[in-house]
Each structure stands twice: as structure tokens, then as C-alpha cells.
């Protein structure tokens, strides 16, 4: 078999650095990529039923695992304290020692949950991220954010825990449901909107996008931002463009009606509308965003009552002093953060 051509990016952070490898077919080479990290240490592989049904055979033919893979039910529900406790039980049964390695093989939910379990198991064991959705490949598998949801809110208990390696195989996206692909494209539009006009403009072109190229560009942007602000006190907050209103929209649908990417798409348009109305954002930006999102098959209009989002916004981690910290655009490719009063937002919406 020919060796897979992989592109390599390096993420530097306070405690070290790690590589992101991107290449079609890399999953078949995963065993060899993990070998120098594994040596004789125990390995706990965490996946979900859908991912394992679609790609488990390829994974298992590449990676020798002495213990059965931990296959969790799909969906956001498992990203909870109950899911975490279940993983701890699995790690204990596998005798995962401090030198052990966790491999998270799945989308954002698996990456976040297995990541938080790895961050806290025996005060921290190493993890490799092997993301299988577009959203996880362009965003959540890079940068070390891990968390579970609590009844009080999304991602409220978590830790920064950088992986040893992120292995991205865009070939696994061939079996990705269309809705999942669209959700990932919302995050790709976000990267263009906050940092890269050329990426943004590429998304307006007709024809099939080069997913491997888009993933590389997004990971490069994220790697640069994380290197400068790993702990999310400044520049990294820009990656939350559309997410404040997006989280409120997700919550308004009980996390069932709108997927994360769908809610973020609507949230980005609302944030751009607010920016234009307040005179911070170049006129025409809202229309450009709508075009880019529509080209990717995403809805741009929240169909509910915008006023009903405000109680949900008040409960947001970033809300304080009668308003909320928002990411706004100056223009496509340039973003900044600003505290916006709820009163102002209510007048605009
Ligand atoms: N998903 C946003 C971040 O990693 O900061």
C-alpha cells in the first residue's frame, strides 16, 4: 500500500507542542502513528456506536488494542457527569495507569468527554484525538478544550488538556450525514469571517469544496490563535463568533431542534446584524455572511421569537452587568470582542 500523503501542522502551547496530521487514508496508518506514544502502555479507545459501525473495522485493522473499545451511545446526552463516570469505570476495568494513553475516536462529543476523562483520570493521562466529523476536524479536536455539560449549562465542567497528537483523515467524512457536514461548514464559515477573507470567498464559489484544504486552513488559523492564547483570555475568544447567541438558540430548542453548527450559523448572522446596527461592522457584511452560509445549505434566520432568547443569554457564562461579551466583526476577516448591553440588543432585534 502506498504511504498516505499527510500535511503536518504544529500547535505550540505553554506546556509544549504537538502535531496535527491531515491526510486522506491516515486512519489506516493510525497504529504506526500511535506506536511511539504507546510503547507498552495501556490504551483505552473511546468511540460511539455510529462511528464504530462505520469505521471500526478500519481502525481495528490498524491499531492493536488489547482491550475492547469503549463504544458509547451517540449524541450529546453522553457528554454528562453520568457519561464521565461510566468512562472512569471503563478506565478502571482496563487498568489504565498514569502512563496510559486514551484515543478519542469520534465527533466533538467523544473528543470533549474522553478529553475531560483523560484530563482528570489519575490527575491526567495522555490523549490522542482522532476526529471523525467535519466540526471536530476543523475545530474541537484542536486546542485542548474538554468538558461535560451540567444540568445548569453546556460545557460548565471542563479542563484544558492538549492532545499528544491529532490525526485527521478527511476520507471518513465520505460517510458523514449531510446535516453533520453542514454543521461543520458553519464553523468553516466562522474561521473565514473572523480571520480569512480568502477562505470566506472560497466558500462562495460553486462546486464541491476541497475539504482537506479547508480543514488545513482552519486548523492553521486555530493553531496560531491557541499558540498565542491557549487559556482563552483574549484572542481565542474570537473563535466564539456566533456562539453566544448560538448557544441560546441551541438551548431554546432543548438541544434537539438545532444542532450546534445550525445554531452558530444563525448566531453569526445575528451578531453581524448587531454589529452593523451599532456601526461597528462594515455595511454589507450581513449579506455576505448570509450568502456564504446559504451556499453551504445553512439556514440564516432564527425562526423563533428573538426576545425569548434573552433569559437564556442572561444565563450565559459570558454575561455580566446587564449585557454579554460578544464577538463582532469589523468586516469579513476581522473580528473583535465587546461588551454589549441587553437593552441595545433588544432595540436592534
Ligand atoms: N471552539 C472554540 C475554542 O476551541 O476555543
Amino acid at each position: 500500500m502506498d504511504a498516505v500523503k499527510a500535511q503536518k501542522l504544529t500547535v505550540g502551547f505553554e506546556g509544549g507542542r504537538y502535531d496535527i496530521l491531515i491526510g486522506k487514508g491516515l486512519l489506516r496508518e493510525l497504529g504506526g502513528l500511535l506506536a511511539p506514544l504507546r510503547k507498552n502502555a495501556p490504551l483505552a479507545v473511546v468511540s460511539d456506536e455510529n462511528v464504530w459501525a462505520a469505521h471500526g473495522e478500519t481502525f481495528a485493522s490498524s491499531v492493536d488494542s488489547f482491550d475492547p473499545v469503549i463504544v458509547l451511545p451517540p449524541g450529546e446526552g453522553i457528554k454528562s457527569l453520568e457519561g464521565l463516570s461510566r468512562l472512569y469505570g471503563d478506565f478502571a476495568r482496563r487498568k489504565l495507569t498514569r502512563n496510559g494513553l486514551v484515543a478519542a475516536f469520534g465527533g466533538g462529543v467523544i473528543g470533549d468527554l474522553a478529553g475531560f476523562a483523560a484530563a482528570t483520570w489519575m490527575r491526567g493521562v495522555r490523549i490522542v484525538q482522532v476526529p471523525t466529523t467535519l466540526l471536530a476536524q476543523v475545530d474541537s479536536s484542536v486546542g485542548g478544550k474538554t468538558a461535560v455539560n451540567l444540568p445548569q449549562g453546556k460545557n460548565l465542567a471542563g479542563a484544558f488538556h492538549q492532545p499528544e497528537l491529532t490525526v485527521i483523515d478527511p476520507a471518513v467524512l465520505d460517510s458523514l450525514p449531510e446535516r453533520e457536514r453542514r454543521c461543520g461548514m458553519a464553523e468553516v464559515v466562522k474561521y473565514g469571517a473572523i480571520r480569512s477573507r480568502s477562505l470566506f470567498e472560497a466558500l462562495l464559489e460553486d462546486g464541491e469544496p476541497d475539504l482537506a484544504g479547508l480543514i488545513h486552513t482552519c486548523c492553521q488559523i486555530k493553531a496560531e490563535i491557541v499558540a498565542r492564547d491557549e487559556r482563552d483570555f483574549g484572542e481565542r475568544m474570537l473563535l466564539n463568533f456566533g456562539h453566544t447567541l448560538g448557544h441560546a438558540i441551541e438551548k431554546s430548542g432543548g438541544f434537539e431542534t438545532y444542532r450546534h453548527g445550525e445554531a452558530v450559523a444563525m448566531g453569526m448572522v445575528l451578531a453581524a446584524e448587531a454589529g452593523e446596527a451599532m456601526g461597528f461592522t462594515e455595511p454589507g457584511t450581513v449579506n455576505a455572511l448570509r450568502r456564504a452560509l446559504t451556499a453551504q445549505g445553512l439556514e440564516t434566520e432564527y425562526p423563533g421569537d428573538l426576545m425569548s432568547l434573552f433569559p437564556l443569554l442572561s444565563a450565559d457564562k459570558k454575561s455580566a452587568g446587564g449585557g454579554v461579551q460578544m464577538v463582532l466583526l469589523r468586516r469579513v476577516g476581522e473580528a473583535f470582542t465587546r461588551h454589549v448591553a441587553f437593552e441595545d440588543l433588544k432595540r436592534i432585534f
Side-chain angles (χ1 to χ4, degrees), residues 139-140 142-143 145 187 190 222 226 232 236 239-240 243:
D139 197 55
S140 60
V142 176
K145 277 191 182 174
E187 296 283 352
K190 175 195 80 178
K222 185 149 187 188
V226 169
D232 204 8
R236 186 165 180 170
L239 294 170
N240 282 332
H243 283 58

Side-chain angles (χ1 to χ4, degrees), residues 96-172:
L96 189 69
T97 42
R98 289 214 61 208
N99 66 337
L101 186 66
V102 174
F105 181 49
V109 166
I110 292 295
D112 281 8
L113 172 67
F116 189 45
T120 45
W121 179 248
M122 295 193 176
R123 301 199 180 89
V125 294
R126 297 166 304 148
I127 185 159
V128 172
Q129 294 281 354
V130 188
T132 57
T133 60
L134 181 58
L135 195 142
Q137 292 191 346
V138 297
D139 197 55
S140 60
S141 67
V142 176
K145 277 191 182 174
T146 72
V148 294
N149 301 326
L150 299 184
Q152 292 83 353
K154 223 173 128 77
N155 295 331
L156 282 187
F160 288 96
H161 189 54
Q162 301 292 344
E164 299 295 308
L165 176 70
T166 294
V167 180
I168 298 177
D169 182 350
V172 301

